[in-house]
Every structure is written in C-alpha cells, then in structure tokens.
Amino acid sequence: MPAKPLSLRDGLLALAVMAVWGSNFVVIRMGLDDLPPLLFAALRFTFVVFPAILFLKRPPVPWRNLAAYGLFIGAGQFGLLFLAMRGSITPGLASLVIQLQAFFTIGIAAAMTGEKVRPFQIAALLLAASGIGIILSHTDGSTTPLGLALVLSAALSWAIGNIVVRATPGVNMLAYVVWGSIFSAPPLYLMSLIFEGVPAIREGLANADINTAAVIAYQAIGNSLFGYAIWGWLLSRYPAATIAPMSLLVPVFGIAASALWLAEPLQDWKLGAAALVMAGLCLNVLWPRFAAIRGARTPPAA
C-alpha cells in the first residue's frame, strides 16, 4: 500500500477515536471496582455483539478471520489489559505502555508483507519510543513487573489484531467488529469461571449498579463499536506505518483523564515523556505533507 498523508476528515476521526480510547482507561479502572477483570471484559464484548448483531449482516470474510480478530482483540488485548489494571498498573501508565502496539504492528507488517518503513517513520517511532522509555524508567510501587508484562502482551495481541484487520480491506468495519466479537466473549467467560470462580462472579454481579451499566455501555458502544470500527476502517485505507503511530495520542488523553478524574499525579517527567510522544506523532503524520508540498514547489531537473 503506497504511503499517503491522512486527509483532514480521517485525521479528525482518528483524533476522536484516540480521545475515546484514552479516557477509556479511567472508565476501565472504575468498572474494576465492582467487577472481576475477566468477567468485566466478557460483559463488554457480550454487549458489543447484542443487540447490534441482529441488525448487521455478517461481512463477507472467512470465519477464521473473524475468529482471529475476536480472540486477539477481545480475549488477548482486553483480557490481559483488564487483568493488569486490577492493581498492577496505573491507568495513565497502562495507556502509555500499551502504545508499544504501534511498533509491533509496523514490525509485523514489514515482516509479513514487505511493507517498507521510511526513514522519517523510523525517526518518528524512535522519538516516541524515547518518551515511553522515560515512563518505563519511572515505575513505582503502583506498577509491578507482572503488570508491565501483561500490558506488553496486550499490546502484542492488539498489533496482531491490526494485521488481521488489514487482510480484509473494504469490508463494513462496524459489522466486522460486531461479528468478530462473537469469538471474544466465550473464552473470557470460560477464563473467568476457571480463574476468578463462581463466588467472585456472583459477588461482582451483585455489586453491579447503574454506574456499572454505564461503564459497560461506554466500553461496548464508545470504545468498541465506534472506536474499533473507525480504527479498522483507517487501517484498511492507509499503511500501518501511517495509522499505527496515531495511537500514541491515547496516553495523552489517558494521562489527562486520569489526572482529572482519579487525581493521578502529573510529574514533570510525565509531561516531558508526553511531549516526546507528541513530537514523534507529529513527525510521522506531518512529514508526508511537508514532503509533498516541497516536491510540488521544486522544479524538475533540466
């Protein structure tokens, strides 16, 4: 797929998705106060599927593709992320670490399809990675090695899900997300039953109230039906090296939301790391536009 800059419309859509996904880490933390993590993830994908599946025709893609998407995005990415955020990592830091999916996505795409990574994109990723490196070097008692390992595994699952989506360009992405989520909930319910147990499930459901319902609705409608449908659609239109780094905006929204709603401290090093991430993102997104304008103004050689 040839490199091309994001259009204004697609850039705004990507920004909206990043805002939803960033604030979602605070929403996840709120939901985990009432529900066990695997049960919480299972309920999320249950309501991604129903009732939307009654109104959306199955997309014309193989069942194995839908199954791979549902397993890697649902059971992989969110099952692991929810487990990590149950006391093993803060929402702001989780929103940063999981953005390593951008690097995983680009690397997997390059290895599988031969998609070329241009020098400015490498520079942009290294710049953004330095910001994430600063965050990782300032872990404290609220973040554990297990938490970091779980979120890194979730990032890898997200990256594989991205590659699965890109194998089916041109499909209705809302229908794709809904039908793919059929394969997310069952393994999450099974893992909840095995690892969390019936007493914890019963207690979690007993504690559920209107706020729990609102959190699950935000997860299903905002994060999945809107967020992943638009994300997958963008991945089908642009190279992975253009779209994947957009997710580096998520921690900016995630840290801000966590600071506002959960009073997570905003130390100078966090702000510096966010600035590096933003600089890398701007280089990746704006350089093709700059190069195109410069090329248009440069007269051809005689």
Side-chain angles (χ1 to χ4, degrees):
M1 187 182 296
K4 60 178 178 178
L6 284 170
S7 67
L8 177 61
R9 179 200 63 182
D10 292 350
L12 291 174
L13 282 172
L15 184 64
V17 172
M18 298 309 106
V20 170
W21 282 353
S23 59
N24 185 55
F25 288 86
V26 171
V27 176
I28 290 171
R29 187 64 197 84
M30 294 166 60
L32 290 171
D33 289 337
D34 298 324
L35 296 171
L38 294 172
L39 176 63
F40 183 12
L43 289 171
R44 168 207 172 117
F45 285 100
T46 297
F47 290 101
V48 170
V49 175
F50 296 104
I53 199 171
L54 302 177
F55 305 99
L56 293 170
K57 183 179 179 181
R58 182 173 75 87
V61 299
W63 280 107
R64 65 179 179 274
N65 185 281
L66 293 172
Y69 176 84
L71 289 172
F72 282 110
I73 294 296
Q77 180 188 351
F78 283 97
L80 294 169
L81 178 63
F82 283 24
L83 282 171
M85 292 186 63
R86 188 69 178 264
S88 296
I89 195 167
T90 63
L93 187 54
S95 71
L96 280 158
V97 175
I98 201 168
Q99 300 320 312
L100 290 176
Q101 68 82 19
F103 309 104
F104 291 139
T105 299
I106 292 172
I108 294 171
M112 292 182 61
T113 68
E115 186 174 298
K116 293 183 178 179
V117 180
R118 298 167 66 184
F120 79 87
Q121 292 168 328
I122 295 174
L125 290 174
L126 289 174
L127 188 61
S130 66
I132 293 178
I134 291 175
I135 298 296
L136 294 177
S137 69
H138 285 82
T139 55
D140 54 27
S142 61
T143 299
T144 67
L146 175 61
L148 289 174
L150 287 170
V151 177
L152 285 171
S153 299
L156 178 59
S157 293
W158 185 2
I160 297 172
N162 288 340
I163 300 302
V164 171
V165 168
R166 295 185 70 240
T168 56
V171 300
N172 181 328
M173 286 311 304
L174 179 59
Y176 185 96
V177 169
V178 169
W179 282 85
S181 295
I182 292 175
F183 299 93
S184 299
L188 286 167
Y189 279 119
L190 179 60
M191 288 189 293
S192 178
L193 185 63
I194 294 172
F195 297 109
E196 295 170 342
V198 173
I201 293 173
R202 185 184 299 117
E203 181 181 358
L205 294 175
N207 291 335
D209 55 17
I210 187 64
N211 292 327
T212 311
V215 164
I216 294 173
Y218 186 95
Q219 292 281 299
I221 299 171
N223 199 72
S224 287
L225 295 181
F226 171 74
Y228 276 86
I230 296 298
W231 178 256
W233 180 75
L234 289 171
L235 281 170
S236 71
R237 289 173 55 87
Y238 296 93
T242 298
I243 296 301
M246 287 294 296
S247 65
L248 293 170
L249 268 176
V250 169
V252 177
F253 289 105
I255 290 174
S258 188
L260 289 172
W261 294 339
L262 301 178
E264 184 174 338
L266 274 182
Q267 300 96 327
D268 290 342
W269 57 266
K270 278 189 180 180
L271 296 176
L276 286 170
V277 169
M278 285 296 298
L281 176 61
C282 289
L283 175 60
N284 184 74
V285 173
L286 298 179
W287 181 263
R289 294 181 182 273
F290 171 75
I293 293 173
R294 185 179 60 178
R297 291 178 177 176
T298 302

